[in-house]
Amino acid sequence: MKKLINDPADVVTEAIDGFGAAHSDIVVVSRGPLFVRRAGAPTPGRVALVSGGGSGHEPLHAGFVGHGMLSAAVPGPVFTSPTPDPIVAATQAVDGGAGVLYIVKNYTGDVLNFETAADLAEAEGITVETVVVDDDVAVKDSLFTAGRRGVAGTVVVEKIAGASAERGDDLAAVADVARRTNAATRSMGVALAAGTVPHAGQPGFTLADDEIEIGIGIHGEPGRERIPVEPVDAIVDRLLAAVVDDLGVRAGEKVLLFVNGMGGTPSMELYIAYRRAAEVLTAQGVEVSRSLVGDYVTSLEMQGMSITLTRLDDELTALWDAPVETAALRRGR
Amino acid sequence: MKKLINDPADVVTEAIDGFGAAHSDIVVVSRGPLFVRRAGAPTPGRVALVSGGGSGHEPLHAGFVGHGMLSAAVPGPVFTSPTPDPIVAATQAVDGGAGVLYIVKNYTGDVLNFETAADLAEAEGITVETVVVDDDVAVKDSLFTAGRRGVAGTVVVEKIAGASAERGDDLAAVADVARRTNAATRSMGVALAAGTVPHAGQPGFTLADDEIEIGIGIHGEPGRERIPVEPVDAIVDRLLAAVVDDLGVRAGEKVLLFVNGMGGTPSMELYIAYRRAAEVLTAQGVEVSRSLVGDYVTSLEMQGMSITLTRLDDELTALWDAPVETAALRRGR
């Protein structure tokens, strides 16, 4: 294993320390227990958003802490859920008296630990609502999940719910917007090569030189099938067909088209894939009214990508367009 | 070779088509000849900035076209300079009557082709100034270069010169700011593994399982030495010492610290490296007053990074902080 790291045991804390130092205008890092929150005091009466999960998916989640998006992010060890304690501490740090929304990717460990944290926070007098993101259409149940996995669509939920909180919606309304966004969002991914978890020291799975995995999970969990490598247009057609079918997108509707890199894929390849997906949707009469292309929900240095669609109405579009100022996503106020 | 591409001959045009479609609010793509320019007509009396070079370094350069940065970018084939024709066409498309600044990375092919383009544009009545970026301290001459190579510091020059043009400076002043920024900027990189040029079909170079290359070029040109892999703190210390020494940074000065990913390195590793570099500089009494961390000047999916320092004075800081709205770099107006 060659990596730009020191001791594998220190990767998460050292990375978060660097992140905090590089973005001290936006975030503050707590080291005991470990979480990242917005710089400045919570806004009284404003709903706060807390997300988190295993590390290794950067910029998710800490990269989305800031104005218009998350209030705090709680990173666990690589590919491992954070325990309830730091989640509760983050909740207390960002609560502005209007309650806290947890945005949780659907993995058994995350769901359980955020549930426990919610109970503990409620016992401290903080109202908590939880939205579980489950956008991955590849498989119904998976290695670490009951039901569908939560993958790249999490960014869309965090962005849109963050804008809802920022405009002053109450907790029930922010949770409703987040659930509506999740219900309007589907994703599916493909891997060409696995990433290596530092403390494991070897790639999470192995594919032959001419083989790709359709429907891969963001921890390398099995997808739908392993097939010989194809031109990217054919790969995009497979992913997109599964997503369009599951979401039931029809001609005349508007969508956000999000092509997400898994960490080790050149930008050029993501745009080639975007081009095909946009062409196919347009040919189907679906309007690609918003776009996002880049590494937003990664799997360390995995080579691969995912395609996400969110069906947009006027309200979701306005919330998507609202100003945001985080390390990984910025749009002018 | 596994890549998310169709025909290797089409990667550049397909990627640029996707880029143009995804960012149609910011850019317009010309397909004959191929270049990317800002959406909208040139601002009369405003200096225009044109850059370009071989593809495979995305988001450089097209990702930096937009308000506050480049007026146009001209992508060549992968790792190969664009010819003069598209450079001239881009120049004509963006000239607002106040002249055009070319920002050229110091590679022999790029320098020659931009020189020829400048002659042709001048013959059409457009005043052109050229700034050559040569920030890489690793080697004096290299495979494709006489003198030092131009690498990640190019982003800093493009950002700061773009802000100078945007505030209305004349061509001589914008060129002077660009040259001052280049003179204040040094970089050095390291590779763990090479990227694969699509039409070559195999990695550009090979390193042993325990070997890294210090001083690598962004096309995989040889660096200073190949050494056994070390903890990242030791690698950062090597790169930073070379950069600090060449730039002559002293206690009490302010710098921009830029840790650049080469395309295939997880975000987590870049922040671990940033953390060390910031610690070392701070211990030396150097103030890290601005930061940039991420994949900005890549080498396809190369695993590695580079460290760039720019010595900042008040004017360069203000220009760095000025609003920018491009696909790959945004900061609020």
mmCIF file of all heavy atoms in Angstrom, chain A residues 2-6 14 18 23 192 208-209 211 231-233 264 269 271-272 275 301 303 330, chain B residues 2-6 14-15 18 23 192 208-209 211 231-233 264 269 271 275 301 303 330:
data_model
loop_
_atom_site.group_PDB
_atom_site.id
_atom_site.type_symbol
_atom_site.label_atom_id
_atom_site.label_comp_id
_atom_site.label_asym_id
_atom_site.label_seq_id
_atom_site.Cartn_x
_atom_site.Cartn_y
_atom_site.Cartn_z
ATOM 1 N N LYS A 2 0.677 2.109 -1.017
ATOM 2 C CA LYS A 2 1.329 3.415 -1.011
ATOM 3 C C LYS A 2 0.247 4.457 -0.797
ATOM 4 O O LYS A 2 -0.697 4.548 -1.588
ATOM 5 C CB LYS A 2 2.031 3.685 -2.342
ATOM 6 C CG LYS A 2 3.388 3.027 -2.458
ATOM 7 C CD LYS A 2 4.174 3.568 -3.627
ATOM 8 C CE LYS A 2 3.606 3.066 -4.943
ATOM 9 N NZ LYS A 2 4.513 3.327 -6.082
ATOM 10 N N LYS A 3 0.393 5.260 0.249
ATOM 11 C CA LYS A 3 -0.562 6.336 0.498
ATOM 12 C C LYS A 3 0.176 7.524 1.102
ATOM 13 O O LYS A 3 1.212 7.349 1.738
ATOM 14 C CB LYS A 3 -1.648 5.878 1.480
ATOM 15 C CG LYS A 3 -2.723 5.020 0.842
ATOM 16 C CD LYS A 3 -3.829 4.727 1.818
ATOM 17 C CE LYS A 3 -4.975 4.026 1.132
ATOM 18 N NZ LYS A 3 -5.781 4.913 0.285
ATOM 19 N N LEU A 4 -0.388 8.694 0.921
ATOM 20 C CA LEU A 4 0.175 9.903 1.531
ATOM 21 C C LEU A 4 -0.383 10.037 2.948
ATOM 22 O O LEU A 4 -1.212 10.908 3.238
ATOM 23 C CB LEU A 4 -0.158 11.121 0.675
ATOM 24 C CG LEU A 4 0.497 11.111 -0.715
ATOM 25 C CD1 LEU A 4 -0.092 12.213 -1.593
ATOM 26 C CD2 LEU A 4 2.011 11.267 -0.598
ATOM 27 N N ILE A 5 0.078 9.147 3.831
ATOM 28 C CA ILE A 5 -0.395 9.142 5.212
ATOM 29 C C ILE A 5 0.786 8.910 6.148
ATOM 30 O O ILE A 5 1.890 8.590 5.697
ATOM 31 C CB ILE A 5 -1.453 8.041 5.457
ATOM 32 C CG1 ILE A 5 -0.857 6.640 5.241
ATOM 33 C CG2 ILE A 5 -2.662 8.246 4.559
ATOM 34 C CD1 ILE A 5 -1.783 5.501 5.654
ATOM 35 N N ASN A 6 0.524 9.089 7.455
ATOM 36 C CA ASN A 6 1.488 8.690 8.475
ATOM 37 C C ASN A 6 0.984 7.364 9.051
ATOM 38 O O ASN A 6 0.797 6.424 8.288
ATOM 39 C CB ASN A 6 1.620 9.799 9.530
ATOM 40 C CG ASN A 6 2.165 11.085 8.905
ATOM 41 O OD1 ASN A 6 3.275 11.070 8.369
ATOM 42 N ND2 ASN A 6 1.406 12.162 8.952
ATOM 43 N N GLU A 14 -5.877 13.480 11.639
ATOM 44 C CA GLU A 14 -4.936 14.355 10.934
ATOM 45 C C GLU A 14 -5.607 15.057 9.751
ATOM 46 O O GLU A 14 -5.340 16.235 9.480
ATOM 47 C CB GLU A 14 -3.708 13.571 10.460
ATOM 48 C CG GLU A 14 -2.803 13.149 11.624
ATOM 49 C CD GLU A 14 -1.510 12.469 11.183
ATOM 50 O OE1 GLU A 14 -1.372 12.140 9.978
ATOM 51 O OE2 GLU A 14 -0.638 12.258 12.034
ATOM 52 N N GLY A 18 -6.213 19.120 9.366
ATOM 53 C CA GLY A 18 -5.837 19.871 8.166
ATOM 54 C C GLY A 18 -7.032 20.594 7.579
ATOM 55 O O GLY A 18 -6.937 21.764 7.180
ATOM 56 N N HIS A 23 -9.740 25.657 6.384
ATOM 57 C CA HIS A 23 -11.053 26.300 6.215
ATOM 58 C C HIS A 23 -11.520 26.967 7.509
ATOM 59 O O HIS A 23 -12.706 26.927 7.845
ATOM 60 C CB HIS A 23 -12.075 25.277 5.724
ATOM 61 C CG HIS A 23 -11.672 24.607 4.464
ATOM 62 N ND1 HIS A 23 -11.586 25.264 3.253
ATOM 63 C CD2 HIS A 23 -11.253 23.342 4.215
ATOM 64 C CE1 HIS A 23 -11.149 24.429 2.316
ATOM 65 N NE2 HIS A 23 -10.942 23.252 2.870
ATOM 66 N N LEU A 192 -14.374 0.675 -11.433
ATOM 67 C CA LEU A 192 -13.340 0.075 -12.280
ATOM 68 C C LEU A 192 -12.245 -0.538 -11.412
ATOM 69 O O LEU A 192 -11.602 -1.513 -11.809
ATOM 70 C CB LEU A 192 -12.709 1.136 -13.191
ATOM 71 C CG LEU A 192 -13.483 1.532 -14.447
ATOM 72 C CD1 LEU A 192 -14.822 2.166 -14.118
ATOM 73 C CD2 LEU A 192 -12.660 2.450 -15.325
ATOM 74 N N ALA A 208 -10.952 -7.975 -12.412
ATOM 75 C CA ALA A 208 -9.993 -8.346 -13.458
ATOM 76 C C ALA A 208 -9.679 -7.126 -14.323
ATOM 77 O O ALA A 208 -10.383 -6.123 -14.294
ATOM 78 C CB ALA A 208 -10.563 -9.478 -14.313
ATOM 79 N N ASP A 209 -8.612 -7.227 -15.110
ATOM 80 C CA ASP A 209 -8.150 -6.089 -15.911
ATOM 81 C C ASP A 209 -9.196 -5.598 -16.910
ATOM 82 O O ASP A 209 -9.108 -4.461 -17.388
ATOM 83 C CB ASP A 209 -6.887 -6.478 -16.707
ATOM 84 C CG ASP A 209 -5.663 -6.489 -15.807
ATOM 85 O OD1 ASP A 209 -5.760 -6.004 -14.661
ATOM 86 O OD2 ASP A 209 -4.621 -7.001 -16.251
ATOM 87 N N GLU A 211 -12.622 -5.961 -16.339
ATOM 88 C CA GLU A 211 -13.903 -6.148 -15.661
ATOM 89 C C GLU A 211 -14.308 -4.891 -14.896
ATOM 90 O O GLU A 211 -13.470 -4.221 -14.298
ATOM 91 C CB GLU A 211 -13.713 -7.308 -14.679
ATOM 92 C CG GLU A 211 -14.970 -7.938 -14.143
ATOM 93 C CD GLU A 211 -14.615 -9.078 -13.172
ATOM 94 O OE1 GLU A 211 -13.649 -8.951 -12.380
ATOM 95 O OE2 GLU A 211 -15.320 -10.092 -13.205
ATOM 96 N N PRO A 231 -17.620 0.624 -23.608
ATOM 97 C CA PRO A 231 -17.508 2.078 -23.802
ATOM 98 C C PRO A 231 -18.372 2.783 -22.760
ATOM 99 O O PRO A 231 -19.431 2.269 -22.370
ATOM 100 C CB PRO A 231 -18.075 2.294 -25.208
ATOM 101 C CG PRO A 231 -17.929 0.978 -25.893
ATOM 102 C CD PRO A 231 -18.097 -0.069 -24.825
ATOM 103 N N VAL A 232 -17.940 3.953 -22.313
ATOM 104 C CA VAL A 232 -18.654 4.628 -21.232
ATOM 105 C C VAL A 232 -20.092 4.941 -21.616
ATOM 106 O O VAL A 232 -20.977 4.948 -20.752
ATOM 107 C CB VAL A 232 -17.903 5.897 -20.763
ATOM 108 C CG1 VAL A 232 -17.884 6.971 -21.838
ATOM 109 C CG2 VAL A 232 -18.489 6.427 -19.466
ATOM 110 N N ASP A 233 -20.357 5.190 -22.894
ATOM 111 C CA ASP A 233 -21.746 5.471 -23.270
ATOM 112 C C ASP A 233 -22.660 4.300 -22.910
ATOM 113 O O ASP A 233 -23.792 4.496 -22.454
ATOM 114 C CB ASP A 233 -21.849 5.760 -24.783
ATOM 115 C CG ASP A 233 -21.372 7.181 -25.125
ATOM 116 O OD1 ASP A 233 -20.927 7.913 -24.219
ATOM 117 O OD2 ASP A 233 -21.434 7.539 -26.321
ATOM 118 N N GLY A 264 -10.965 8.503 -7.694
ATOM 119 C CA GLY A 264 -9.783 8.251 -8.507
ATOM 120 C C GLY A 264 -10.025 8.351 -10.002
ATOM 121 O O GLY A 264 -9.224 7.872 -10.805
ATOM 122 N N GLU A 269 -13.232 12.152 -17.604
ATOM 123 C CA GLU A 269 -14.124 10.996 -17.766
ATOM 124 C C GLU A 269 -15.522 11.290 -17.205
ATOM 125 O O GLU A 269 -16.525 10.850 -17.765
ATOM 126 C CB GLU A 269 -13.505 9.758 -17.108
ATOM 127 C CG GLU A 269 -12.165 9.407 -17.759
ATOM 128 C CD GLU A 269 -11.494 8.155 -17.173
ATOM 129 O OE1 GLU A 269 -12.175 7.303 -16.592
ATOM 130 O OE2 GLU A 269 -10.252 8.050 -17.317
ATOM 131 N N TYR A 271 -16.992 14.175 -17.209
ATOM 132 C CA TYR A 271 -17.706 15.032 -18.166
ATOM 133 C C TYR A 271 -18.112 14.258 -19.424
ATOM 134 O O TYR A 271 -19.136 14.567 -20.038
ATOM 135 C CB TYR A 271 -16.874 16.268 -18.510
ATOM 136 C CG TYR A 271 -16.953 17.324 -17.433
ATOM 137 C CD1 TYR A 271 -15.871 17.595 -16.607
ATOM 138 C CD2 TYR A 271 -18.133 18.042 -17.226
ATOM 139 C CE1 TYR A 271 -15.951 18.560 -15.607
ATOM 140 C CE2 TYR A 271 -18.222 19.005 -16.231
ATOM 141 C CZ TYR A 271 -17.132 19.262 -15.421
ATOM 142 O OH TYR A 271 -17.226 20.212 -14.433
ATOM 143 N N ILE A 272 -17.318 13.279 -19.816
ATOM 144 C CA ILE A 272 -17.722 12.433 -20.949
ATOM 145 C C ILE A 272 -19.011 11.681 -20.582
ATOM 146 O O ILE A 272 -19.945 11.586 -21.386
ATOM 147 C CB ILE A 272 -16.595 11.454 -21.342
ATOM 148 C CG1 ILE A 272 -15.373 12.227 -21.874
ATOM 149 C CG2 ILE A 272 -17.083 10.443 -22.375
ATOM 150 C CD1 ILE A 272 -14.151 11.356 -22.153
ATOM 151 N N ARG A 275 -21.989 14.081 -20.502
ATOM 152 C CA ARG A 275 -22.428 14.393 -21.867
ATOM 153 C C ARG A 275 -23.424 13.353 -22.372
ATOM 154 O O ARG A 275 -24.505 13.677 -22.873
ATOM 155 C CB ARG A 275 -21.178 14.403 -22.753
ATOM 156 C CG ARG A 275 -21.397 14.408 -24.234
ATOM 157 C CD ARG A 275 -20.146 13.816 -24.920
ATOM 158 N NE ARG A 275 -20.485 12.733 -25.818
ATOM 159 C CZ ARG A 275 -20.552 11.453 -25.491
ATOM 160 N NH1 ARG A 275 -20.326 11.037 -24.264
ATOM 161 N NH2 ARG A 275 -20.873 10.578 -26.400
ATOM 162 N N GLU A 301 -9.837 6.291 -3.032
ATOM 163 C CA GLU A 301 -9.366 6.532 -4.407
ATOM 164 C C GLU A 301 -10.014 5.564 -5.398
ATOM 165 O O GLU A 301 -9.460 5.269 -6.464
ATOM 166 C CB GLU A 301 -7.836 6.451 -4.472
ATOM 167 C CG GLU A 301 -7.239 5.059 -4.277
ATOM 168 C CD GLU A 301 -7.066 4.664 -2.818
ATOM 169 O OE1 GLU A 301 -7.756 5.216 -1.939
ATOM 170 O OE2 GLU A 301 -6.246 3.765 -2.559
ATOM 171 N N GLN A 303 -11.766 4.004 -8.438
ATOM 172 C CA GLN A 303 -12.000 4.484 -9.793
ATOM 173 C C GLN A 303 -13.412 4.081 -10.189
ATOM 174 O O GLN A 303 -13.746 2.894 -10.182
ATOM 175 C CB GLN A 303 -10.962 3.908 -10.748
ATOM 176 C CG GLN A 303 -9.573 4.508 -10.459
ATOM 177 C CD GLN A 303 -8.548 4.133 -11.478
ATOM 178 O OE1 GLN A 303 -8.482 2.977 -11.896
ATOM 179 N NE2 GLN A 303 -7.736 5.088 -11.885
ATOM 180 N N ARG A 330 -19.823 25.939 -3.263
ATOM 181 C CA ARG A 330 -20.026 27.371 -3.044
ATOM 182 C C ARG A 330 -20.848 27.940 -4.164
ATOM 183 O O ARG A 330 -20.652 27.612 -5.326
ATOM 184 C CB ARG A 330 -18.688 28.118 -3.024
ATOM 185 C CG ARG A 330 -17.907 27.907 -1.777
ATOM 186 C CD ARG A 330 -16.642 28.740 -1.828
ATOM 187 N NE ARG A 330 -15.753 28.315 -0.778
ATOM 188 C CZ ARG A 330 -15.178 29.132 0.094
ATOM 189 N NH1 ARG A 330 -15.386 30.424 0.017
ATOM 190 N NH2 ARG A 330 -14.390 28.663 1.022
ATOM 191 N N LYS B 2 -8.457 0.308 -18.231
ATOM 192 C CA LYS B 2 -9.886 0.511 -17.988
ATOM 193 C C LYS B 2 -10.102 1.990 -17.755
ATOM 194 O O LYS B 2 -9.511 2.575 -16.853
ATOM 195 C CB LYS B 2 -10.335 -0.257 -16.747
ATOM 196 C CG LYS B 2 -10.580 -1.724 -16.992
ATOM 197 C CD LYS B 2 -11.298 -2.359 -15.815
ATOM 198 C CE LYS B 2 -10.382 -2.515 -14.617
ATOM 199 N NZ LYS B 2 -10.972 -3.377 -13.568
ATOM 200 N N LYS B 3 -10.953 2.591 -18.567
ATOM 201 C CA LYS B 3 -11.286 4.003 -18.396
ATOM 202 C C LYS B 3 -12.744 4.217 -18.765
ATOM 203 O O LYS B 3 -13.299 3.460 -19.564
ATOM 204 C CB LYS B 3 -10.411 4.876 -19.306
ATOM 205 C CG LYS B 3 -9.006 5.095 -18.779
ATOM 206 C CD LYS B 3 -8.253 6.098 -19.636
ATOM 207 C CE LYS B 3 -6.934 6.433 -19.013
ATOM 208 N NZ LYS B 3 -7.033 7.339 -17.863
ATOM 209 N N LEU B 4 -13.327 5.267 -18.221
ATOM 210 C CA LEU B 4 -14.702 5.626 -18.549
ATOM 211 C C LEU B 4 -14.681 6.519 -19.792
ATOM 212 O O LEU B 4 -14.925 7.726 -19.724
ATOM 213 C CB LEU B 4 -15.358 6.330 -17.366
ATOM 214 C CG LEU B 4 -15.554 5.440 -16.132
ATOM 215 C CD1 LEU B 4 -15.969 6.275 -14.927
ATOM 216 C CD2 LEU B 4 -16.573 4.344 -16.406
ATOM 217 N N ILE B 5 -14.350 5.903 -20.930
ATOM 218 C CA ILE B 5 -14.255 6.640 -22.194
ATOM 219 C C ILE B 5 -14.898 5.816 -23.307
ATOM 220 O O ILE B 5 -15.233 4.646 -23.109
ATOM 221 C CB ILE B 5 -12.791 6.944 -22.582
ATOM 222 C CG1 ILE B 5 -11.996 5.648 -22.813
ATOM 223 C CG2 ILE B 5 -12.114 7.787 -21.505
ATOM 224 C CD1 ILE B 5 -10.589 5.863 -23.370
ATOM 225 N N ASN B 6 -15.053 6.470 -24.472
ATOM 226 C CA ASN B 6 -15.441 5.754 -25.684
ATOM 227 C C ASN B 6 -14.161 5.571 -26.493
ATOM 228 O O ASN B 6 -13.217 4.990 -26.011
ATOM 229 C CB ASN B 6 -16.541 6.526 -26.416
ATOM 230 C CG ASN B 6 -17.800 6.619 -25.571
ATOM 231 O OD1 ASN B 6 -18.365 5.595 -25.201
ATOM 232 N ND2 ASN B 6 -18.219 7.825 -25.228
ATOM 233 N N GLU B 14 -15.340 15.049 -26.460
ATOM 234 C CA GLU B 14 -16.500 14.595 -25.678
ATOM 235 C C GLU B 14 -16.508 15.204 -24.280
ATOM 236 O O GLU B 14 -17.563 15.549 -23.747
ATOM 237 C CB GLU B 14 -16.529 13.063 -25.601
ATOM 238 C CG GLU B 14 -16.877 12.417 -26.938
ATOM 239 C CD GLU B 14 -17.034 10.904 -26.863
ATOM 240 O OE1 GLU B 14 -16.705 10.308 -25.806
ATOM 241 O OE2 GLU B 14 -17.493 10.308 -27.850
ATOM 242 N N ALA B 15 -15.321 15.297 -23.678
ATOM 243 C CA ALA B 15 -15.257 15.900 -22.340
ATOM 244 C C ALA B 15 -15.630 17.378 -22.392
ATOM 245 O O ALA B 15 -16.359 17.877 -21.523
ATOM 246 C CB ALA B 15 -13.863 15.726 -21.736
ATOM 247 N N GLY B 18 -19.326 17.793 -22.763
ATOM 248 C CA GLY B 18 -19.983 17.595 -21.465
ATOM 249 C C GLY B 18 -19.782 18.788 -20.552
ATOM 250 O O GLY B 18 -20.717 19.238 -19.879
ATOM 251 N N HIS B 23 -22.061 23.387 -17.726
ATOM 252 C CA HIS B 23 -21.791 24.737 -17.217
ATOM 253 C C HIS B 23 -22.213 25.812 -18.204
ATOM 254 O O HIS B 23 -21.525 26.812 -18.391
ATOM 255 C CB HIS B 23 -20.297 24.873 -16.871
ATOM 256 C CG HIS B 23 -19.827 23.846 -15.896
ATOM 257 N ND1 HIS B 23 -20.233 23.830 -14.591
ATOM 258 C CD2 HIS B 23 -19.033 22.752 -16.056
ATOM 259 C CE1 HIS B 23 -19.694 22.781 -13.967
ATOM 260 N NE2 HIS B 23 -18.957 22.119 -14.830
ATOM 261 N N LEU B 192 2.970 8.808 -6.607
ATOM 262 C CA LEU B 192 2.946 7.437 -6.094
ATOM 263 C C LEU B 192 2.673 6.462 -7.237
ATOM 264 O O LEU B 192 3.123 5.320 -7.201
ATOM 265 C CB LEU B 192 1.859 7.267 -5.030
ATOM 266 C CG LEU B 192 2.171 7.776 -3.628
ATOM 267 C CD1 LEU B 192 2.411 9.273 -3.601
ATOM 268 C CD2 LEU B 192 1.068 7.389 -2.655
ATOM 269 N N ALA B 208 7.987 1.108 -8.395
ATOM 270 C CA ALA B 208 7.854 -0.130 -7.629
ATOM 271 C C ALA B 208 6.815 0.056 -6.523
ATOM 272 O O ALA B 208 6.420 1.179 -6.210
ATOM 273 C CB ALA B 208 9.205 -0.516 -7.028
ATOM 274 N N ASP B 209 6.372 -1.044 -5.942
ATOM 275 C CA ASP B 209 5.305 -1.011 -4.942
ATOM 276 C C ASP B 209 5.660 -0.171 -3.720
ATOM 277 O O ASP B 209 4.760 0.269 -2.991
ATOM 278 C CB ASP B 209 4.982 -2.432 -4.453
ATOM 279 C CG ASP B 209 4.144 -3.180 -5.471
ATOM 280 O OD1 ASP B 209 3.661 -2.535 -6.427
ATOM 281 O OD2 ASP B 209 3.985 -4.400 -5.312
ATOM 282 N N GLU B 211 7.891 2.513 -3.908
ATOM 283 C CA GLU B 211 8.702 3.601 -4.428
ATOM 284 C C GLU B 211 7.839 4.810 -4.774
ATOM 285 O O GLU B 211 6.732 4.659 -5.286
ATOM 286 C CB GLU B 211 9.385 3.087 -5.701
ATOM 287 C CG GLU B 211 10.566 3.873 -6.195
ATOM 288 C CD GLU B 211 11.140 3.228 -7.471
ATOM 289 O OE1 GLU B 211 10.336 2.717 -8.311
ATOM 290 O OE2 GLU B 211 12.357 3.243 -7.632
ATOM 291 N N PRO B 231 6.577 8.187 5.447
ATOM 292 C CA PRO B 231 5.385 8.839 6.003
ATOM 293 C C PRO B 231 5.185 10.181 5.309
ATOM 294 O O PRO B 231 6.168 10.846 4.942
ATOM 295 C CB PRO B 231 5.736 9.029 7.481
ATOM 296 C CG PRO B 231 6.790 8.011 7.765
ATOM 297 C CD PRO B 231 7.569 7.868 6.488
ATOM 298 N N VAL B 232 3.932 10.581 5.133
ATOM 299 C CA VAL B 232 3.665 11.801 4.368
ATOM 300 C C VAL B 232 4.320 13.024 5.008
ATOM 301 O O VAL B 232 4.721 13.954 4.300
ATOM 302 C CB VAL B 232 2.150 12.008 4.145
ATOM 303 C CG1 VAL B 232 1.430 12.312 5.450
ATOM 304 C CG2 VAL B 232 1.901 13.095 3.117
ATOM 305 N N ASP B 233 4.446 13.033 6.331
ATOM 306 C CA ASP B 233 5.094 14.193 6.956
ATOM 307 C C ASP B 233 6.521 14.373 6.421
ATOM 308 O O ASP B 233 6.963 15.506 6.181
ATOM 309 C CB ASP B 233 5.128 14.041 8.484
ATOM 310 C CG ASP B 233 3.774 14.345 9.126
ATOM 311 O OD1 ASP B 233 2.808 14.628 8.389
ATOM 312 O OD2 ASP B 233 3.687 14.271 10.372
ATOM 313 N N GLY B 264 -5.772 11.339 -8.607
ATOM 314 C CA GLY B 264 -6.150 10.042 -8.046
ATOM 315 C C GLY B 264 -5.891 9.912 -6.555
ATOM 316 O O GLY B 264 -5.877 8.796 -6.023
ATOM 317 N N GLU B 269 -6.010 12.540 2.128
ATOM 318 C CA GLU B 269 -4.546 12.574 2.104
ATOM 319 C C GLU B 269 -4.029 13.987 1.845
ATOM 320 O O GLU B 269 -3.015 14.408 2.401
ATOM 321 C CB GLU B 269 -4.009 11.569 1.076
ATOM 322 C CG GLU B 269 -4.429 10.144 1.421
ATOM 323 C CD GLU B 269 -3.899 9.085 0.451
ATOM 324 O OE1 GLU B 269 -2.889 9.315 -0.227
ATOM 325 O OE2 GLU B 269 -4.528 8.010 0.376
ATOM 326 N N TYR B 271 -5.450 16.728 2.794
ATOM 327 C CA TYR B 271 -5.590 17.520 4.025
ATOM 328 C C TYR B 271 -4.564 17.099 5.075
ATOM 329 O O TYR B 271 -4.109 17.928 5.869
ATOM 330 C CB TYR B 271 -7.017 17.434 4.562
ATOM 331 C CG TYR B 271 -7.959 18.365 3.826
ATOM 332 C CD1 TYR B 271 -8.917 17.872 2.948
ATOM 333 C CD2 TYR B 271 -7.864 19.743 3.989
ATOM 334 C CE1 TYR B 271 -9.780 18.719 2.261
ATOM 335 C CE2 TYR B 271 -8.720 20.608 3.307
ATOM 336 C CZ TYR B 271 -9.672 20.090 2.446
ATOM 337 O OH TYR B 271 -10.509 20.949 1.758
ATOM 338 N N ARG B 275 -2.001 19.810 6.591
ATOM 339 C CA ARG B 275 -1.807 19.967 8.037
ATOM 340 C C ARG B 275 -0.323 20.076 8.365
ATOM 341 O O ARG B 275 0.120 20.975 9.082
ATOM 342 C CB ARG B 275 -2.415 18.736 8.719
ATOM 343 C CG ARG B 275 -2.092 18.543 10.164
ATOM 344 C CD ARG B 275 -2.275 17.052 10.503
ATOM 345 N NE ARG B 275 -1.106 16.486 11.122
ATOM 346 C CZ ARG B 275 -0.089 15.923 10.480
ATOM 347 N NH1 ARG B 275 -0.060 15.827 9.166
ATOM 348 N NH2 ARG B 275 0.921 15.452 11.163
ATOM 349 N N GLU B 301 -5.300 10.459 -13.778
ATOM 350 C CA GLU B 301 -5.593 9.855 -12.471
ATOM 351 C C GLU B 301 -4.308 9.579 -11.691
ATOM 352 O O GLU B 301 -4.264 8.692 -10.826
ATOM 353 C CB GLU B 301 -6.423 8.572 -12.649
ATOM 354 C CG GLU B 301 -5.692 7.392 -13.259
ATOM 355 C CD GLU B 301 -5.670 7.405 -14.787
ATOM 356 O OE1 GLU B 301 -5.831 8.486 -15.399
ATOM 357 O OE2 GLU B 301 -5.473 6.323 -15.369
ATOM 358 N N GLN B 303 -1.619 9.337 -8.969
ATOM 359 C CA GLN B 303 -1.683 9.436 -7.515
ATOM 360 C C GLN B 303 -0.478 10.239 -7.048
ATOM 361 O O GLN B 303 0.665 9.857 -7.316
ATOM 362 C CB GLN B 303 -1.718 8.048 -6.875
ATOM 363 C CG GLN B 303 -3.035 7.340 -7.183
ATOM 364 C CD GLN B 303 -3.208 6.038 -6.450
ATOM 365 O OE1 GLN B 303 -2.283 5.246 -6.357
ATOM 366 N NE2 GLN B 303 -4.396 5.828 -5.916
ATOM 367 N N ARG B 330 -15.036 29.064 -7.082
ATOM 368 C CA ARG B 330 -16.081 30.068 -6.899
ATOM 369 C C ARG B 330 -15.901 30.742 -5.561
ATOM 370 O O ARG B 330 -15.590 30.102 -4.569
ATOM 371 C CB ARG B 330 -17.471 29.407 -6.887
ATOM 372 C CG ARG B 330 -17.930 28.985 -8.235
ATOM 373 C CD ARG B 330 -19.331 28.425 -8.133
ATOM 374 N NE ARG B 330 -19.653 27.754 -9.366
ATOM 375 C CZ ARG B 330 -20.763 27.965 -10.069
ATOM 376 N NH1 ARG B 330 -21.663 28.814 -9.628
ATOM 377 N NH2 ARG B 330 -20.977 27.321 -11.178
#
